[in-house]
Amino acid sequence: FSIVSSIMSQAEVKHGRKPNRRNMQSVYIAPTSEQKGPEIKLSFDETAEYDDAEAHNREIKCLNYTVKQAGRLLSLLGFSESDRYSHLEVSDINGMTVGFDILYVWFDNVPRVFYLKISEEFKYDGCWTPTYKGNQIYPLQVRTPQSSIIISGYFLENSEKSSESKKTYILLKYDYAGKLILNSRKYDHQKFSDFALNDKEELLLVVPKAKEENEIISQICKLTPDFSRKVFYFSLGHDNAKYIPQFILADGPGQRSWAALKKVPTGVNENSEDQEQGITYRLLSFHSSSPFLDHPERRQENLSPEEKTTMYLEAVNKQSWNMNPFLPGELVMLDENILAIDQIQRNLVQVSWTTKDSSPTRKILSKPGEPIYKHICSDRNSCAYLITDKGDLQVFKFNKLSTITEDED
């Protein structure tokens, strides 16, 4: 990795049947020499009928967690054959997030955010069309901090060069009444692949392609809550490989921020998933808040460029681990653990880490393909919410057990 200290730059601101008892197995797999990853702890329920999710409120109880079937998402949203959204399928779901008592859901190429009221068994609670200067916004990512709703999305504009509309990408903040508070500058491409907010509502942004000294390189940066300043950023990559950040989590284990990366050796297609070509999947952990990072202008007047870089390296304190063969997808926090969906196997994985650990521990919580998970979000403290490829909405909770052991018959 390389790190670059950032001069504070101004950005444009405008504003029921119970399951039978099952045998729980825990299997430990040591990493191979090729894998070079941390120890994997594989735990799964041998006989759970994951594919039978028709019954509302059915629960699957394992030793260390419980999964409750809440229903089929499209049915909960009330789409009918006569509805304008009747054509939507599970594959069209773009993401979901939770805020207060609402589960927010959005779809590809639909300028709406749909609401499900969690405390009323996910009752449909309406939808909202976010706008910017009269243009409908198509959400790509939605986050719901305490005081606002933040959307990364695009709107359609008439193109001067063709008869087709062009997509203009933008980051926007709304209050909970749907009023636009402020927005970022506009881009002709999707600038951010993911973003997260810390407890101060500061934005951590994943920028897969940024220009830096005539070179295209990946970055992670932090903005102030009003989008007005880039507080700091660091660049990812070196001469022998390209690091492609995909997902990010703020305020994760160890009071650090986490990002899912793909490391691609120079000369290898960045869209390839062939690990035999040297591609590795990594988790990056770093500090995103400190007196030095949050107020760099106060400490840089008498520092040389080398000293500034050294201080940034110490402040950010990056750590990175090879997670092969696990390719982390969306990252969420639950009960001091990271939950993520493996983008290859599409199963649910738990990642645990403390400041005393040399590397994270992974537990595979579901067998590959049973079910196939598509999206995940959480309220950080009690529940995670999952969508399967069949459209089942599941509620995931950790059971209050301190350790996982093997059941005896």
Side-chain angles (χ1 to χ4, degrees), residues 75 88 94 100 123 125 159 189 202 255-256 264 267 345:
S75 297
L88 293 176
N94 201 343
F100 299 104
K123 178 183 177 182
D125 202 37
S159 174
H189 62 284
E202 298 167 321
Q255 297 182 328
R256 296 165 67 88
V264 182
Q345 300 291 341

Side-chain angles (χ1 to χ4, degrees), residues 118-248:
I118 297 171
S119 62
E120 298 183 17
E121 296 188 340
F122 300 93
K123 178 183 177 182
Y124 176 61
D125 202 37
C127 65
W128 166 52
T129 302
T131 61
Y132 168 74
K133 292 186 176 181
N135 298 292
Q136 294 181 337
I137 296 297
Y138 295 76
L140 297 172
Q141 291 97 22
V142 180
R143 302 292 179 262
T144 53
Q146 292 292 321
S147 62
S148 60
I149 300 176
I150 300 179
I151 295 178
S152 172
Y154 66 88
F155 60 91
L156 300 177
E157 288 187 302
N158 293 328
S159 174
E160 297 178 357
K161 298 181 179 180
S162 69
S163 59
E164 296 182 358
S165 298
K166 67 174 183 177
K167 294 180 179 180
T168 299
Y169 296 84
I170 194 168
L171 187 68
L172 310 111
K173 178 185 285 190
Y174 301 86
D175 64 19
Y176 274 94
K179 180 182 178 181
L180 180 63
I181 302 173
L182 58 90
N183 60 272
S184 71
R185 60 184 296 184
K186 297 181 291 184
Y187 301 94
D188 60 3
H189 62 284
Q190 186 176 350
K191 180 78 170 179
F192 318 116
S193 63
D194 195 20
F195 73 95
L197 294 103
N198 62 18
D199 57 4
K200 299 177 183 178
E201 298 195 12
E202 298 167 321
L203 277 77
L204 293 175
L205 301 171
V206 175
V207 186
K209 294 182 179 181
K211 285 186 178 181
E212 184 178 301
E213 296 181 355
N214 298 320
E215 183 181 5
I216 302 299
I217 199 165
S218 302
Q219 292 180 350
I220 291 176
C221 66
K222 183 168 80 169
L223 298 183
T224 55
D226 61 0
F227 304 169
S228 65
R229 292 185 292 122
K230 182 184 287 186
V231 180
F232 78 91
Y233 73 89
F234 58 85
S235 301
L236 303 168
H238 51 65
D239 292 340
N240 298 321
K242 177 185 292 185
Y243 288 82
I244 305 173
Q246 297 176 304
F247 300 96
I248 195 164

Side-chain angles (χ1 to χ4, degrees), residues 101-118:
D101 190 31
I102 298 294
L103 184 69
Y104 299 82
V105 183
W106 58 99
F107 294 80
D108 285 329
N109 303 313
V110 176
R112 302 285 188 277
V113 179
F114 298 88
Y115 307 149
L116 295 174
K117 197 168 183 61
I118 297 171

